[in-house]
Amino acid sequence: MESSPLISAGLPIALFIIMIGIGMTLTTRDFRQVAVYPKGLIVGTLTQILLMPLVAFALASLLAVPPAIAVGLVIIAACPGGTTSNLFVLLARGNIALSIVLTVSASLITILTLPLFANVALQFYMGTEENIVLPVWKTIGMLIGIVLFPVAIGMQVRSRKPEVARKAESIVSVFGGVVLALLIVALMYGARDQIWELLKQAGPATILLNAAGIFIGLLAGRMTGLTQRESLAVAVELGVKNGTIALMVTLTLLESSAMSIPAAVYGVLMFPIGFLLAMYGRRLIPKASSELVK
């Protein structure tokens, strides 16, 4: 399924709305709280922005996946936490404030790092086979427009009309899930003639990438002395990716259905794995302790 006018126009608009919803969950207090205790932010950002793409490169090489699948795997790994990660952290009784700030900080840093990793992957895996290059400045401009600007709008709404923001949060979260689900269904249908072969090629790598992200988050949290709630927040942020951004890059900028398969597969698999992590967190952390810090 190559990029259609509906995807080219509709996907950025949908993502703009979703990012406004993230902004509505933020206040200056959230930033202040994490700034006072920045260890979780530093650990989560470094592992999410730098380590996850390196893990994707390693998995793609070890599993010898096709070049287009390898590029797509690196792109989904380089994406920030998804819009539903905060919900999974809430269900897992993790540190919600840290999760929110990690989502936004990673989204902002991604404006610079995503084009970098994508172009490295294109050069490394595609080489001279195809003349495909992710336009850096166009990508940066698009990500600023659909990440930074709408988050700022959402924060303004939260600041001026908190009741409206609270009511809209759940609606936007549902909308985000529906958009991603529709994209995945449309992508699978468009590539139906070769879908099972693509799933065989991308499935194991995406499962391992998701599992590696969660494991790295929990391990890094433990090694750096984070609390259980902070470690869970980092693990969820590494495991629950913003698949919509990955699909936007692969479908509207690179116009490649094959490169978009890892993002689509990851977008499906991260939900059941995320729920398992949430169940683990609820068994690990008593309800009373999770209510002490929101």
Side-chain angles (χ1 to χ4, degrees), residues 110-152:
T110 294
I111 292 172
L112 299 174
T113 57
L114 178 56
L116 173 63
F117 280 115
N119 276 326
V120 170
L122 283 165
Q123 182 63 35
F124 185 76
Y125 292 111
M126 308 299 290
T128 57
E129 293 179 20
E130 293 188 38
N131 186 23
I132 301 175
V133 177
L134 183 64
V136 176
W137 291 111
K138 181 179 179 181
T139 307
I140 289 174
M142 181 177 289
L143 291 175
I144 288 175
I146 62 172
V147 174
L148 180 59
F149 185 54
V151 165

Side-chain angles (χ1 to χ4, degrees), residues 95-249:
N95 189 311
I96 302 170
L98 175 59
S99 173
I100 291 171
V101 178
L102 277 174
T103 299
V104 176
S105 66
S107 296
L108 300 182
I109 297 172
T110 294
I111 292 172
L112 299 174
T113 57
L114 178 56
L116 173 63
F117 280 115
N119 276 326
V120 170
L122 283 165
Q123 182 63 35
F124 185 76
Y125 292 111
M126 308 299 290
T128 57
E129 293 179 20
E130 293 188 38
N131 186 23
I132 301 175
V133 177
L134 183 64
V136 176
W137 291 111
K138 181 179 179 181
T139 307
I140 289 174
M142 181 177 289
L143 291 175
I144 288 175
I146 62 172
V147 174
L148 180 59
F149 185 54
V151 165
I153 291 176
M155 290 185 67
Q156 281 294 314
V157 173
R158 173 69 178 264
S159 175
R160 297 183 180 184
K161 297 184 178 180
E163 289 298 324
V164 173
R166 274 193 287 270
K167 292 178 181 178
E169 279 177 28
S170 58
I171 297 175
V172 174
S173 296
V174 172
F175 175 74
V178 170
V179 167
L180 185 56
L182 289 176
L183 280 170
I184 291 169
V185 170
L187 182 62
M188 297 298 183
Y189 179 78
R192 61 191 180 278
D193 293 337
Q194 53 180 336
I195 190 62
W196 293 115
E197 183 62 28
L198 291 170
L199 284 173
K200 283 196 298 183
Q201 295 171 349
T206 53
I207 292 174
L208 288 174
L209 180 66
N210 184 269
I214 292 172
F215 176 76
I216 289 170
L218 294 174
L219 180 63
R222 182 166 185 175
M223 292 179 63
T224 56
L226 298 182
T227 66
Q228 289 179 330
R229 298 184 65 246
E230 289 172 330
S231 296
L232 278 169
V234 172
V236 172
E237 289 298 319
L238 267 62
V240 180
K241 292 288 186 179
N242 195 331
T244 316
I245 287 180
L247 288 173
M248 181 199 71
V249 170

